[in-house]
């Protein structure tokens, strides 16, 4: 720390920084007074924190209207209505198994109908009160670094509801898949293995997960809404249909408009009804700005992002020096951190307090079978990550590139600071031009297995499936986002925030 701060005379607070996990519910007290997003933006512009931007102001006015719509709104009545329908369906299913009981019910109904009308009306329940209107959510899309996540975070902070969750969309889908798996295992233990297909809604694990989520939150805020996986694409309509039926309000950010989600994907025709559903329940708004504020506002990138084209000899020593300074005369330790599904992630070099800093080689994290839950575990464990020897990333090695992009996303969501060595600066790392495109479809490339479990994928003349080509196509958008986020995490501004520097 002293190496970075001695020249500026800044002091560092020693208070530990506590960072919430992705799935932590952030509750507001009922006395919280909400503030319009436009007001917050004006205050930050006056303080010099933000630059005036017409596109952001227009989006902020949309968010103001959403704030007004959800003030005092609760989806409890919608959840109760859906649960009552489910209970009636379960009861109906039980009755159909017993013919005698069904016939007796019909006899009783006939006898009841013979009674006089005053008796019937006396037993009739009053009609239920009308359900409250569900506020339409908002889907913000636009170029990388234009302030979409910042706007959503500001809205989330001042959203006038007590039950809300803000989560990266990829992390949300992982949570959904885990819940679906848990319900299937529970059903297997309760009912055994069925020899016939049960199509009832109350046994559908996707709808049940949607009801679980809706009962936990009224407002769901998704950052980086994108669909690259066929398994995700095939469940989204059922999942969001359940969420919307239960009155959940959705706010999402994305680099793509809803109509372009999963474009070119495997069996996209099955995905199109979800797009219609999303546009019915969310207003679509484009943030029309061409400025990448992450890059614009990041300073001193060359201090924390080393470019080394000579076998990383010089940069390796610099990374070692930085790590040694952060250790503050302590010896580094090796450790394992817990991930999802009973997995662990080995860490060969870490600070002895197990939270400040860890040091990795690129190959340790991106050339192994690791996924977002593993990277999230790293982001939740450490404030600073030193990542060495980042190579050029191409569409030809799309698995490696995808892992690195996921790593960057999770570290960014975890508010980590980065110290990196690479063959080029962030905006030059990702090769998605003509030369890399040719490499992408080289004959010796590995044939993908996306969707094979469904038996519905079709191989292309290149040897790649349609599902994989769509996923690869999404990488070109993800490349630009990752480069922007790398720049911000390797900036002086981010390091000062993580080290809690008094300026």
């Amino acid at each position: 720390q002293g190496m970075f701060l001695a020249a500026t005379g800044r002091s560092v607070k020693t208070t530990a920084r506590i960072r919430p996990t992705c799935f932590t519910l952030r509750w507001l007290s009922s006395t919280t007074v909400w503030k319009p997003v436009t007001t917050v933006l004006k205050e930050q512009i006056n303080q010099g924190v933000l630059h005036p931007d017409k596109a952001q102001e227009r989006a902020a006015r949309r968010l103001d209207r959403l704030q007004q719509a959800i003030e005092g709104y609760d989806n409890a009545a919608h959840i109760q209505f859906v649960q009552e329908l489910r209970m009636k369906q379960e009861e109906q299913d039980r009755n159909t198994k017993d013919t005698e009981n069904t016939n007796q019910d019909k006899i009783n109904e006939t006898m009841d109908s013979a009674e006089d009308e005053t008796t019937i009306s006396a037993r009739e329940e009053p009609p239920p009160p009308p359900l409250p209107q569900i506020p339409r959510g908002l889907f913000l899309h636009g170029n990388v670094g234009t302030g979409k996540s910042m706007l959503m975070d500001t809205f989330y902070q001042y959203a006038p509801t007590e039950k809300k969750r803000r989560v990266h969309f990829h992390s949300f889908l992982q949570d959904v898949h885990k819940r679906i798996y848990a319900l299937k295992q529970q059903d297997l233990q309760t009912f055994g293995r069925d020899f016939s297909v049960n199509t009832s809604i109350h046994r559908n694990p996707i709808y049940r997960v949607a009801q679980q989520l809706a009962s936990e939150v009224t407002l769901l805020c998704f950052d980086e809404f994108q669909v690259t996986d066929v398994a995700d694409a095939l469940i989204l309509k059922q999942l969001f249909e359940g969420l919307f039926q239960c009155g959940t309000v959705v706010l999402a950010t994305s680099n793509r408009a809803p109509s372009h989600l999963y474009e070119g994907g495997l069996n996209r025709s099955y995905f199109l009804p979800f797009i219609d559903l999303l546009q019915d329940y969310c207003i679509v708004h484009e943030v029309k700005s061409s400025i990448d504020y992450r890059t614009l506002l990041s300073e001193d990138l060359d201090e924390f992002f080393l470019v080394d084209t000579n076998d990383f000899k010089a940069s390796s020593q610099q990374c070692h020096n930085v790590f040694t300074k952060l250790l503050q005369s302590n010896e580094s330790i090796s450790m394992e951190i817990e991930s999802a599904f009973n997995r662990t992630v080995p860490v060969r070099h870490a600070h002895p307090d197990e939270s400040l800093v860890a040091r990795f080689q690129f190959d340790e994290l991106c050339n192994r079978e690791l996924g977002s839950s593993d990277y999230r575990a790293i982001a939740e464990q450490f404030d600073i990550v030193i990542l060495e020897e980042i190579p050029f990333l191409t569409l030809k090695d799309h698995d490696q590139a995808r892992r690195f992009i996921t790593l960057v996303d999770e570290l960014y969501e975890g508010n980590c600071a980065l110290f990196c060595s690479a063959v080029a600066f962030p905006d030059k790392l990702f090769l998605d031009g003509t030369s890399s495109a040719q490499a992408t479809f080289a004959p010796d490339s590995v044939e993908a297995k996306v969707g094979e479990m469904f038996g519905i994928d079709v191989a292309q003349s290149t040897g790649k499936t349609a599902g994989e080509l769509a996923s690869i196509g999404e990488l070109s958008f993800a490349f630009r986002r990752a480069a922007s986020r790398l720049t911000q995490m390797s900036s002086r501004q981010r390091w000062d925030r993580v080290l809690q520097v008094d300026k």
Side-chain angles (χ1 to χ4, degrees):
Q1 296 167 343
M3 180 180 70
F4 300 123
L5 306 172
T8 61
R10 298 167 179 168
S11 61
V12 181
K13 296 179 181 178
T14 57
T15 305
R17 184 172 62 98
I18 300 176
R19 186 170 54 245
T21 63
C22 292
F23 293 105
T24 300
L25 287 176
R26 308 173 191 178
W27 302 100
L28 286 179
S29 68
S30 58
T31 57
T32 299
V33 178
W34 67 273
K35 185 186 296 186
V37 178
T38 51
T39 301
V40 179
L41 251 60
K42 288 176 183 177
E43 291 174 352
Q44 293 185 336
I45 290 170
N46 293 336
Q47 295 167 7
V49 177
L50 296 178
H51 293 267
D53 187 293
K54 295 294 184 183
Q56 290 181 2
E57 291 174 14
R58 286 191 290 271
R61 287 195 291 271
R62 288 277 192 188
L63 291 167
D64 284 353
R65 290 195 284 273
L66 182 55
Q67 282 178 312
Q68 295 169 1
I70 65 175
E71 185 178 15
Y73 170 74
D74 195 323
N75 64 343
H78 292 275
I79 296 171
Q80 182 180 355
F81 177 74
V82 171
Q83 288 175 341
E84 288 175 355
L85 287 179
R86 176 182 168 184
M87 290 172 63
K88 289 178 181 178
Q89 178 67 46
E90 290 177 351
E91 184 179 358
Q92 186 178 9
D93 287 351
R94 285 195 298 268
N95 289 339
T96 56
K97 295 180 181 179
D98 191 336
T99 307
E100 292 183 4
N101 288 343
T102 302
N103 291 336
Q104 185 62 44
D105 288 341
K106 290 180 179 179
I107 293 171
N108 292 339
E109 289 174 10
T110 304
M111 293 175 63
D112 287 342
S113 64
E115 299 177 10
D116 72 50
E117 294 183 4
T118 56
T119 306
I120 296 174
S121 60
R123 285 207 313 247
E124 283 181 349
E125 295 182 1
L131 294 174
Q133 288 189 335
I134 303 172
R136 288 187 75 189
L138 188 62
F139 191 100
L140 296 176
H141 68 96
N143 291 328
V144 299
T146 53
K148 300 183 297 298
S149 297
M150 178 272 296
L151 288 166
M152 185 181 70
D153 288 342
T154 303
F155 169 86
Y156 181 87
Q157 181 179 356
Y158 294 103
T161 180
E162 294 186 347
K163 296 193 303 180
K164 55 184 178 177
R165 179 179 294 165
R166 188 266 193 210
V167 63
H168 192 277
F169 189 63
H170 195 278
S171 301
F172 169 76
L173 289 176
Q174 275 214 328
D175 181 47
V176 167
H177 285 298
K178 286 197 293 186
R179 290 177 186 239
I180 291 173
Y181 175 78
L183 284 176
K184 286 182 175 179
Q185 294 300 109
Q186 178 182 319
D187 287 349
L188 188 61
Q189 293 177 3
T190 304
F191 304 107
R193 194 174 298 278
D194 288 336
F195 290 94
S196 59
V197 178
N198 190 323
T199 59
S200 58
I201 292 295
H202 70 272
R203 288 283 295 276
N204 186 318
I206 300 173
Y207 279 107
R208 289 157 64 193
V209 166
Q211 290 180 30
Q212 285 180 2
L213 292 165
S215 66
E216 295 168 3
V217 293
T218 297
L219 173 67
L220 267 174
C221 296
F222 297 121
D223 195 25
E224 303 298 345
F225 198 112
Q226 62 175 336
V227 184
T228 61
D229 185 85
V230 62
D232 296 334
L234 293 177
I235 70 168
L236 283 180
K237 182 179 183 296
Q238 292 184 62
L239 178 67
F240 275 79
E241 199 168 51
L243 285 171
F244 290 138
Q245 285 175 354
C246 289
T248 311
V249 180
V250 169
L251 169 63
T253 70
S254 179
N255 297 131
R256 288 194 158 198
S259 58
H260 295 299
L261 291 171
Y262 197 54
E263 199 163 40
L266 167 65
N267 286 342
R268 189 171 185 259
S269 58
Y270 293 106
F271 181 75
L272 294 179
F274 166 70
I275 295 176
D276 295 335
L277 179 73
L278 188 63
Q279 293 179 142
D280 283 343
Y281 282 86
C282 292
I283 297 169
V284 179
H285 180 86
E286 182 180 4
V287 182
K288 295 181 179 179
S289 178
S290 58
I291 302 172
D292 184 346
Y293 286 100
R294 294 194 194 110
T295 303
L296 181 66
L297 299 175
S298 297
E299 300 175 355
D300 304 322
L301 178 64
D302 54 352
E303 279 189 61
F304 305 99
F305 198 100
L306 308 177
V307 175
D308 190 344
T309 58
N310 188 26
D311 297 328
F312 296 106
K313 293 179 181 178
S315 61
S316 177
Q317 184 59 47
Q318 288 177 273
C319 289
H320 175 75
N321 293 341
V322 171
F323 186 60
T324 302
K325 289 285 185 181
L326 290 170
L327 286 176
Q328 298 178 323
S329 303
N330 295 301
E331 292 290 330
S332 68
I333 63 169
S334 61
M335 58 184 292
E336 289 188 343
I337 53 179
E338 294 182 0
S339 181
F341 304 107
N342 298 319
R343 291 163 56 91
T344 58
V345 181
V347 182
R348 294 192 298 132
H349 305 287
H351 193 282
D353 73 1
E354 301 184 356
S355 65
L356 178 61
V357 59
R359 182 182 179 187
F360 298 96
Q361 296 287 322
F362 176 87
D363 286 347
E364 288 181 79
L365 297 183
C366 301
N367 278 335
R368 293 180 53 216
E369 295 295 329
L370 298 180
S372 60
S373 58
D374 304 311
Y375 301 139
R376 190 179 313 121
I378 294 171
E380 291 172 359
Q381 183 73 33
F382 301 107
D383 294 335
I384 299 169
V385 173
I386 298 175
L387 185 60
E388 300 181 54
E389 302 185 12
I390 305 172
F392 284 115
L393 299 162
T394 69
L395 295 179
K396 180 179 180 181
D397 298 318
H398 53 87
D399 285 337
Q400 179 191 70
R402 189 178 292 107
R403 290 191 191 104
F404 181 66
I405 289 168
T406 304
L407 170 65
V408 170
D409 283 344
E410 293 297 343
L411 294 178
Y412 183 85
E413 287 293 312
N415 294 316
C416 297
L418 273 180
F419 190 95
C420 301
S421 66
V423 294
F425 282 116
D427 60 336
K428 305 295 184 185
L429 271 180
F430 302 101
L431 305 179
D432 58 348
T434 305
S435 59
S436 63
Q438 291 172 347
T440 303
F441 304 112
D444 61 345
S445 56
V446 178
E447 182 174 352
K449 297 182 180 179
V450 176
E452 281 187 1
M453 70 182 80
F454 298 96
I456 51 179
D457 208 353
V458 180
Q460 307 299 299
S461 58
T462 59
K464 293 183 180 291
T465 63
E468 186 189 12
L469 296 181
S471 184
I472 292 173
E474 290 287 342
L475 284 178
S476 61
F477 290 90
F479 281 173
R480 293 196 293 273
R481 182 183 73 245
S484 176
R485 290 182 163 187
L486 273 174
T487 300
Q488 186 173 1
M489 287 190 289
S490 303
S491 67
R492 162 70 68 182
Q493 184 182 39
R494 176 58 66 90
W495 273 79
D496 284 352
R497 185 192 307 168
V498 167
L499 293 175
Q500 299 190 13
V501 177
D502 285 334
K503 298 184 179 179

